Amino acid sequence: MKDWLVSELRAMAGPKISAQFALDLSEERVRLLERVAEGYLLRQVVRHDDPDFEQKIARMRRHVAGRPGGPAKVDLLLPHELTLYRQETFPSVARNDLRNEVLWRLGSITQYAAEDLFFDAVIIGEDAQTGFLQVMVAIALRQSAREAEDFANAHDFVPLRITAAEKAEGFEHGPTFRIAHRRRRDSQSLKAMAVVFACICIVLSGIGVTRSLLARWEVVDTLTQRRQAAEATLAGALEKRASTLALARRAATPMVLRTDEPMALVYLNSLSASLPPLARAERIALKSGQVRIEGFAENADAVLTAVEMSNGFANARYAAPVRPSEQPDRQSFAIEASLDGQLHQQQPQQSELLPPPDSREP
């Protein structure tokens, strides 16, 4: 009775306690292994396609339990294709909180998010000169571990922990990916004489759970603070980037306009040079690739011809009928023309600008 109670306490006390038996799971078969001093000994093998699979699994469970009605406690070994080992280098300060430091690096080690993984880590060496730590990290998908635990529970095994079949440096009894949940009916086998001890175990377990929860909340709070700081830094960087791009766009706008859009002064200069003597433009509008010229002259047809022949305009036409002007011997005109986009390639020079037409009137 004493030995049995001690084994119960050890099973509940620490994540590193290993079961005497282990189920080595794969897609083809289930192997029952027994832990000995030299490692594991193969006891039974059951293939998934065996016609008497359920009977063999039941016999395997009875072998593990050792007595009728006893719990069949096992470790669950994930196959090597479902686990990953990585040797990583950490600064010496990581020794104080190794799991938390490894948790932050999981995203760079694998393509999965940290919440989708189980992991274990152990220090396997230290550089005497730099103090850097050599850490062996074991990783498994949560989904794979859950499926292994579901299989064990479905066949009345009591999984104590989930580990790996493949051995790695630093893990004496294999990595501990997860401490499996104990089922309620496992405690129902306790005899009346062990009620007091069970209560003590529950109290101790509650203390351990409380401490674990406090530690987890502390880790969560630290992670939240780091995430908020990272988000604030990222927001500041994005704001600076947006401001820099806006400033660059504003600085480049005059250059872009001068390169891609003809300057209005170029067209006005061309129009001024092409109007006949004694012709006066009272209103000039440049919009959407069109120019509209309104004014008066001795001969409106001469103005139309001059605009059509000028450098920079095309498709000159009357926008309104020619009519007598208030000026004596003058005709009022309204002419529209298309802007020639090639004109902006010619850079105007201030020395070539002509005075407005009305300055040449007598």
Side-chain angles (χ1 to χ4, degrees), residues 259-318:
T259 302
D260 297 339
E261 300 272 346
M263 299 293 288
L265 186 60
V266 177
Y267 288 107
L268 293 178
N269 185 39
S270 177
L271 181 62
S272 174
S274 63
L275 289 179
L278 304 182
R280 178 169 181 172
E282 292 185 322
R283 182 175 179 273
I284 301 175
L286 297 172
K287 184 177 180 182
S288 301
Q290 300 287 325
V291 63
R292 182 183 177 93
I293 310 164
E294 298 179 1
F296 56 84
E298 288 183 335
N299 188 342
D301 291 339
V303 176
L304 179 65
T305 303
V307 173
E308 176 67 29
M309 299 295 294
S310 66
N311 194 18
F313 304 97
N315 302 324
R317 58 200 176 276
Y318 284 118

Side-chain angles (χ1 to χ4, degrees), residues 92 95 123-134:
S92 59
R95 186 192 304 272
I123 299 174
I124 60 175
E126 182 177 2
D127 191 303
Q129 296 181 349
T130 63
F132 281 97
L133 306 176
Q134 296 298 321

Side-chain angles (χ1 to χ4, degrees), residues 149-204:
E149 186 176 353
D150 290 342
F151 173 85
N153 289 328
H155 293 87
D156 293 327
F157 288 95
V158 181
L160 296 184
R161 69 179 187 128
I162 301 175
T163 180
E166 184 180 3
K167 302 303 180 182
E169 180 182 1
F171 297 105
E172 181 180 358
H173 300 297
T176 299
F177 294 127
R178 169 173 164 79
I179 301 301
H181 289 296
R182 305 292 303 279
R183 296 179 298 176
R184 180 176 300 177
R185 66 169 175 263
D186 294 338
S187 63
Q188 295 176 351
S189 64
L190 295 176
K191 298 181 179 180
M193 295 177 59
V195 171
V196 175
F197 296 101
C199 293
I200 295 175
C201 293
I202 293 174
V203 172
L204 294 177

Side-chain angles (χ1 to χ4, degrees), residues 78-343:
L78 299 181
H80 67 88
E81 61 266 18
L82 297 181
T83 57
L84 172 67
Y85 288 103
R86 287 291 300 272
Q87 183 173 327
E88 297 289 323
T89 301
F90 286 85
S92 59
V93 295
R95 186 192 304 272
N96 301 328
D97 193 0
L98 183 60
R99 287 193 61 85
N100 191 29
E101 296 295 334
V102 173
L103 179 65
W104 274 92
R105 194 177 292 189
L106 283 181
S108 62
I109 297 177
T110 72
Q111 59 182 342
Y112 298 96
E115 57 268 21
D116 296 330
L117 302 172
F118 285 132
F119 73 95
D120 198 1
V122 62
I123 299 174
I124 60 175
E126 182 177 2
D127 191 303
Q129 296 181 349
T130 63
F132 281 97
L133 306 176
Q134 296 298 321
V135 178
M136 183 66 71
V137 181
I139 304 171
L141 283 174
R142 284 178 179 262
Q143 181 64 28
S144 301
R146 299 289 188 185
E147 291 174 355
E149 186 176 353
D150 290 342
F151 173 85
N153 289 328
H155 293 87
D156 293 327
F157 288 95
V158 181
L160 296 184
R161 69 179 187 128
I162 301 175
T163 180
E166 184 180 3
K167 302 303 180 182
E169 180 182 1
F171 297 105
E172 181 180 358
H173 300 297
T176 299
F177 294 127
R178 169 173 164 79
I179 301 301
H181 289 296
R182 305 292 303 279
R183 296 179 298 176
R184 180 176 300 177
R185 66 169 175 263
D186 294 338
S187 63
Q188 295 176 351
S189 64
L190 295 176
K191 298 181 179 180
M193 295 177 59
V195 171
V196 175
F197 296 101
C199 293
I200 295 175
C201 293
I202 293 174
V203 172
L204 294 177
S205 177
I207 294 175
V209 169
T210 302
R211 294 182 61 184
S212 176
L213 288 176
L214 291 176
R216 287 179 180 272
W217 277 113
E218 184 178 353
V219 171
V220 170
D221 185 59
T222 302
L223 293 176
T224 301
Q225 292 178 2
R226 292 186 182 181
R227 177 180 59 79
Q228 292 175 349
E231 289 177 350
T233 302
L234 177 60
L238 292 177
E239 183 178 357
K240 290 182 180 180
R241 177 178 179 272
S243 300
T244 303
L245 292 177
L247 178 62
R249 285 195 295 269
R250 289 196 298 271
T253 296
M255 182 185 301
V256 172
L257 292 178
R258 184 176 297 274
T259 302
D260 297 339
E261 300 272 346
M263 299 293 288
L265 186 60
V266 177
Y267 288 107
L268 293 178
N269 185 39
S270 177
L271 181 62
S272 174
S274 63
L275 289 179
L278 304 182
R280 178 169 181 172
E282 292 185 322
R283 182 175 179 273
I284 301 175
L286 297 172
K287 184 177 180 182
S288 301
Q290 300 287 325
V291 63
R292 182 183 177 93
I293 310 164
E294 298 179 1
F296 56 84
E298 288 183 335
N299 188 342
D301 291 339
V303 176
L304 179 65
T305 303
V307 173
E308 176 67 29
M309 299 295 294
S310 66
N311 194 18
F313 304 97
N315 302 324
R317 58 200 176 276
Y318 284 118
V322 177
R323 63 180 187 277
S325 173
E326 296 178 356
Q327 301 290 334
D329 300 328
R330 303 289 176 93
Q331 294 178 326
S332 178
F333 62 84
I335 296 174
E336 290 183 350
S338 302
L339 300 180
D340 187 355
Q342 297 180 352
L343 184 62

